[in-house]
Amino acid sequence: MGFPMAHRRPAIGTGEREMKTQAKTRAEETSERFQDADRRADRAKPPKRPQSTSRHKLFLTLRLNDLEAVYRHRHGKVYPDTPDGRKAIDVIAGYTAMRSDAPVKSFVAFARARVPWLVPEDATRIVEGVIDTPLCEPHRKRELGRIIGLTEAERSMLGIRTIEAIDVTPRQRKAINRERDAARKRAARRRAGATSHGESLARKEPWKAAGVSRRTWFRRRGTDSSGITCLNSDGRISAKGRASGSALCRGIGGRAPAAQRARCARAA
């Protein structure tokens, strides 16, 4: 006995089946287009810049140089066979493994020059032990400073830049850097011929000690207020003086006072 007509599932017509097939085809084509666009975008992406790796290696090289400067200052050219000396060797081995493409060869050469009491087999075993362990990122400046016990006096004397001192706080380091930058800029201005504000004529005001006005003092001195010499050796106004004084002598309306025009005419 069959089901009543009201409960029978209506058959899918040919037109509806074709519509579903076309919709599925369009969805697949759209997905393929998106995938093609993603592949083209991936190909169009610029390659990773190699300078990031070069910059990292440069940083590791600078840090190795700083470490060797500190240890050479403390121990001399040859590292001693003491706990401090062996600790220094371990630190150097770790950074050599991170820095060099051939760490075993580099560290053995370092040990031959700085640690002659360490046999090559032991040096190879030390650096291979470092290579076998998972290498992390280099220490932070302050963390490495605590490991090697770097002080500010030692850091300043040796010119260390990639390791922080243990006796200086971050706030103190900022103040030291500001003072160093200010001193460097003052030295650059002094080399360029500039004078400090405390040594300028505007601050010293020598015309008050002479009992004359500022204008009279500069006129007797033979210079204008900017320090440019206005007179030649024969007492006449120089070309620089006329060039600099032309702007200072202009009054309201672009004309100097009559007495000053007469003096300029006589001097010219």
Side-chain angles (χ1 to χ4, degrees), residues 66-233:
D66 286 348
L67 286 170
E68 290 185 9
V70 172
Y71 290 138
R72 185 161 185 170
H73 170 69
R74 293 177 179 177
H75 307 303
K77 185 177 180 180
V78 177
Y79 290 23
D81 188 6
T82 59
D84 290 341
R86 291 188 174 274
K87 183 178 179 181
I89 292 171
D90 292 338
V91 174
I92 294 292
Y95 277 94
T96 302
M98 283 188 282
R99 163 65 182 87
S100 178
D101 297 329
V104 175
K105 182 178 179 181
S106 299
F107 186 72
V108 169
F110 163 79
R112 189 180 297 113
R114 297 285 187 265
V115 198
W117 49 266
L118 187 67
V119 296
E121 291 78 10
D122 292 341
T124 303
R125 186 170 58 254
I126 290 173
V127 73
E128 285 179 350
V130 175
I131 295 173
D132 292 339
T133 58
L135 294 178
C136 59
E137 290 295 321
H139 301 92
R140 294 184 179 275
K141 298 173 67 173
R142 194 167 296 277
E143 180 184 1
L144 185 57
R146 285 195 297 268
I147 291 174
I148 67 175
L150 183 67
T151 62
E152 176 61 20
E154 198 174 22
R155 185 180 188 272
S156 301
M157 180 179 60
L158 299 176
I160 304 300
R161 289 292 176 266
T162 64
I163 311 172
E164 184 56 272
I166 59 176
D167 52 351
V168 173
T169 63
R171 181 174 295 181
Q172 291 173 341
R173 175 59 59 197
K174 288 183 179 179
I176 292 172
N177 291 340
R178 282 196 299 268
E179 180 59 29
R180 187 186 67 244
D181 294 341
R184 177 178 53 80
K185 291 177 181 179
R186 284 196 300 269
R189 290 194 297 268
R190 194 176 296 110
R191 287 194 301 269
T195 58
S196 64
H197 187 65
E199 299 175 357
S200 64
L201 294 176
R203 177 62 65 87
K204 292 181 178 180
E205 297 182 343
W207 47 87
K208 291 185 177 180
V212 296
S213 65
R214 184 172 183 269
R215 194 185 196 105
T216 302
W217 188 88
F218 277 109
R219 187 175 65 251
R220 291 178 180 177
R221 187 167 177 256
T223 61
D224 63 3
S225 58
S226 63
I228 299 176
T229 301
C230 299
L231 301 179
N232 292 323
S233 58

Side-chain angles (χ1 to χ4, degrees), residues 230-243:
C230 299
L231 301 179
N232 292 323
S233 58
D234 57 356
R236 300 172 66 85
I237 298 179
S238 63
K240 288 185 178 180
R242 286 195 296 272

